[in-house]
Amino acid sequence: MSNYTRRDRIWNQALKKALADESFSLNQIQRDVSEPVSSHILKDTLSSMVDQGWLSKEQSEPVVWVPGSQIPGEKNGEEIHEQHTSPKKVTEVTSLVEGKEYVGVVDRFSTSGNANVRLPEHMDRTFVNLGPIYESSEGESVVFRFLETGWGECLTEKYTYDGYSPRDGMKHSEGPASSSSQTSSTSNSSPHRSHSNHSSNNSFTELNNRNDLINGPM
């Protein structure tokens, strides 16, 4: 049996989507690959496919890849570009269609850390739940794909993280803390521990001196 590399799996999934005339974001292809892969490997592999004409990269928000010139079909070009770079605002539609992309504003975060996009009053639900994206998105416009039963997948990559899933169930504030902040935290806490140890040693020494005065040297 052949051993497939991570790049092989990325290539396979991306080519399947291209042949099906589908566009996809980095998060989508990462989720479809059957094992964890880094963003660097994903981007490098997709760039190779763009260079060889299998894919075309659209500079939209979020960035999406669409079928390239090597893929036969009628949707290579302006039709796909228009379809995937101009999602409608939730205020411009009467209802949301599963699988379609929309623009909405993150109105609030639930107590469990899930971002909620408020919908207009004429719709049959109040919010779309985007799951645990970064809290800096509150009050900002995001692009999302509407999923079933009121869920949505955030496609604005600056508010998501590697492995993001709407039903992740884990709260994310601003992403991993930087090494400098961790170093600062460690250096700030060290003097307190040192001072505490020094104080304990002084107290122990004073206690021994008092015992010597009372009982005499042992």
Side-chain angles (χ1 to χ4, degrees):
M1 182 178 179
S2 300
N3 292 323
Y4 292 101
T5 66
R6 292 176 179 177
R7 290 178 184 273
D8 291 334
R9 297 182 189 280
I10 296 168
W11 191 288
N12 183 50
Q13 291 297 329
L15 193 57
K16 282 182 178 179
K17 290 184 177 295
L19 290 170
D21 283 330
E22 296 179 10
S23 71
F24 58 88
S25 66
L26 198 66
N27 283 334
Q28 289 174 288
I29 198 71
Q30 188 173 43
R31 190 172 60 248
D32 290 343
V33 176
S34 59
E35 60 181 291
V37 292
S38 68
S39 295
H40 173 74
I41 294 177
L42 278 168
K43 291 177 180 178
D44 186 63
T45 305
L46 295 177
S47 293
S48 296
M49 297 185 72
V50 170
D51 292 342
Q52 297 182 42
W54 294 110
L55 296 175
S56 178
K57 185 177 180 180
E58 301 289 350
Q59 297 298 332
S60 57
E61 178 57 43
V63 173
V64 296
W65 284 262
V66 299
S69 58
Q70 294 278 31
I71 303 296
E74 299 178 355
K75 290 189 176 182
N76 301 336
E78 294 184 359
E79 183 178 342
I80 280 188
H81 180 79
E82 178 66 22
Q83 178 182 353
H84 293 284
T85 59
S86 302
K88 291 186 177 181
K89 296 180 180 179
V90 294
T91 54
E92 298 175 343
V93 297
T94 56
S95 62
L96 302 184
V97 178
E98 184 178 338
K100 293 284 188 179
E101 297 174 9
Y102 301 94
V103 177
V105 175
V106 176
D107 180 72
R108 66 182 179 87
F109 275 78
S110 67
T111 55
S112 58
N114 289 337
N116 292 158
V117 171
R118 180 177 288 277
L119 299 178
E121 293 182 357
H122 64 264
M123 293 193 180
D124 59 355
R125 56 174 48 87
T126 307
F127 294 99
V128 171
N129 189 343
L130 301 185
I133 62 177
Y134 292 152
E135 293 179 349
S136 58
S137 63
E138 186 169 358
E140 302 293 334
S141 294
V142 297
V143 178
F144 68 92
R145 176 175 289 105
F146 183 62
L147 307 177
E148 75 284 354
T149 63
W151 289 88
E153 177 189 6
C154 181
L155 302 179
T156 305
E157 294 182 356
K158 66 180 179 179
Y159 297 130
T160 62
Y161 47 90
D162 287 350
Y164 156 71
S165 172
R167 295 181 176 85
D168 187 14
M170 297 176 62
K171 187 174 182 179
H172 291 264
S173 53
E174 289 304 321
S178 65
S179 58
S180 59
S181 64
Q182 292 175 350
T183 302
S184 174
S185 175
T186 303
S187 60
N188 288 339
S189 62
S190 296
H192 295 290
R193 291 199 299 270
S194 176
H195 177 73
S196 176
N197 292 338
H198 181 68
S199 300
S200 298
N201 290 336
N202 286 343
S203 299
F204 184 74
T205 301
E206 290 175 3
L207 180 61
N208 284 338
N209 289 339
R210 290 177 184 173
N211 289 336
D212 287 344
L213 291 172
I214 296 172
N215 301 321
M218 297 296 289

